Amino acid sequence: MSDVAVIIPAKDEADRIGPTVTSALALPGVDLVVVVDDGSTDQTGRVARAAGARVVRHSRNRGKAAAMESGAEAVRLLDPDTPRHLLFLDADLGETAKAAAALIEPIRSGAADMSIALFATRVKLGGHGMVVRLSRDGIRRATGFTASQPLNGQRCLTRDAFEAARPLAHGFGVETGLTIDLLRKGFRVVEVEVEMAHRATGTDWRAQLHRARQLRDVALALATREPLITQNLNKLRPNR
């Protein structure tokens, strides 16, 4: 039974999106993979389509949360009669995307409403720890739940859970917002250990800029859900 759709936000991932799509299409219960080409300047969309994905393109980069929303809407339009579970995967997983079957099982069985991947093999993420701690501590304060890998984007949700979490938190704050919002509304969230891996984050200026954007977006997601965090946000802003 085809009851799961895979959504893959992607920007400039032409070198890895093909194997990711192929592996996603091989997952049990998956016959629809939607790649959201979020303003790529390379051949991400073409490669994804050749691998068997349906492709939605943003003419400019709109961020991860917007790509997830576009992907979910595309699934609804492509298959309006089936309220599919939604499996979100990163574009650079390559062949390790096949391990996502473990994320689908608790959703399909009804044991959980959202599953979050817990990577068994950690990849060095050069300076990533500060953002992780911010997200983890914020989720714990807001809900009492301690997320081991709160920023992990590999997640499977029921359609009802996804709709309950909309509108999604902006950009890279989407995972933090999803976890808080669903737990507060009584949805069941579990972490599932998987053998997945994606590209390590570097230490060059582009990587540093990426982390700065993550920090900003996670802080903003927390600020709208925990007013006290606004005090810390003010410390991040330059004096006027």
Side-chain angles (χ1 to χ4, degrees):
M1 178 180 178
S2 300
D3 60 349
V4 179
V6 177
I7 298 170
I8 306 176
K11 183 179 186 299
D12 296 332
E13 292 286 358
D15 58 336
R16 302 197 67 171
I17 190 65
T20 302
V21 169
T22 300
S23 297
L25 281 169
L27 291 168
V30 173
D31 65 354
L32 174 61
V33 173
V34 175
V35 169
V36 182
D37 182 354
D38 192 27
S40 296
T41 57
D42 64 3
Q43 297 298 310
T44 291
R46 183 185 63 79
V47 174
R49 192 174 290 107
R54 305 293 290 268
V55 177
V56 175
R57 176 166 173 79
H58 292 168
S59 59
R60 59 179 178 82
N61 180 246
R62 294 173 53 194
K64 188 172 186 180
M68 291 171 67
E69 296 246 22
S70 293
E73 180 63 12
V75 170
R76 187 186 67 80
L77 292 173
L78 289 167
D79 194 2
D81 298 324
T82 305
R84 292 176 182 248
H85 305 313
L86 303 176
L87 174 62
F88 293 94
L89 297 177
D90 289 346
D92 62 352
L93 292 171
E95 294 181 357
T96 70
K98 62 187 177 184
L103 295 174
I104 299 171
E105 196 281 327
I107 308 305
R108 180 178 285 141
S109 69
D113 303 297
M114 180 171 73
S115 58
I116 306 172
L118 186 63
F119 283 5
T121 302
R122 299 290 189 96
V123 176
K124 182 175 175 57
L125 296 175
H128 196 63
M130 180 171 63
V131 188
V132 171
R133 285 193 298 273
L134 177 66
S135 177
R136 181 184 294 127
D137 291 347
I139 292 170
R140 184 171 57 243
R141 284 193 301 270
T143 68
F145 177 75
T146 300
S148 298
Q149 295 179 18
L151 301 181
N152 202 311
Q154 319 335 299
R155 298 176 179 227
C156 191
L157 298 80
T158 65
R159 186 77 201 206
D160 285 346
F162 181 81
E163 293 299 330
R166 297 179 70 183
L168 302 181
H170 174 74
F172 295 112
V174 63
E175 291 89 4
T176 302
L178 262 176
T179 303
I180 292 174
D181 292 346
L182 291 184
L183 285 170
R184 281 180 166 175
K185 292 180 179 182
F187 289 91
R188 298 160 299 164
V189 176
V190 297
E191 292 184 309
V192 179
E193 187 170 293
V194 295
E195 289 290 344
M196 285 182 181
H198 52 59
R199 183 186 302 110
T201 306
T203 57
D204 60 12
W205 70 268
R206 290 183 181 86
Q208 298 296 340
L209 181 60
H210 172 75
R211 279 188 287 274
R213 288 170 175 162
Q214 277 191 315
L215 179 64
R216 175 201 63 195
D217 290 351
V218 169
L220 287 172
L222 291 173
T224 61
R225 291 160 177 82
E226 183 185 4
L228 289 177
I229 203 73
T230 303
Q231 298 174 11
N232 293 326
L233 259 181
N234 290 333
K235 297 176 183 178
L236 298 176
R237 297 187 180 122
N239 293 327
R240 299 189 181 194

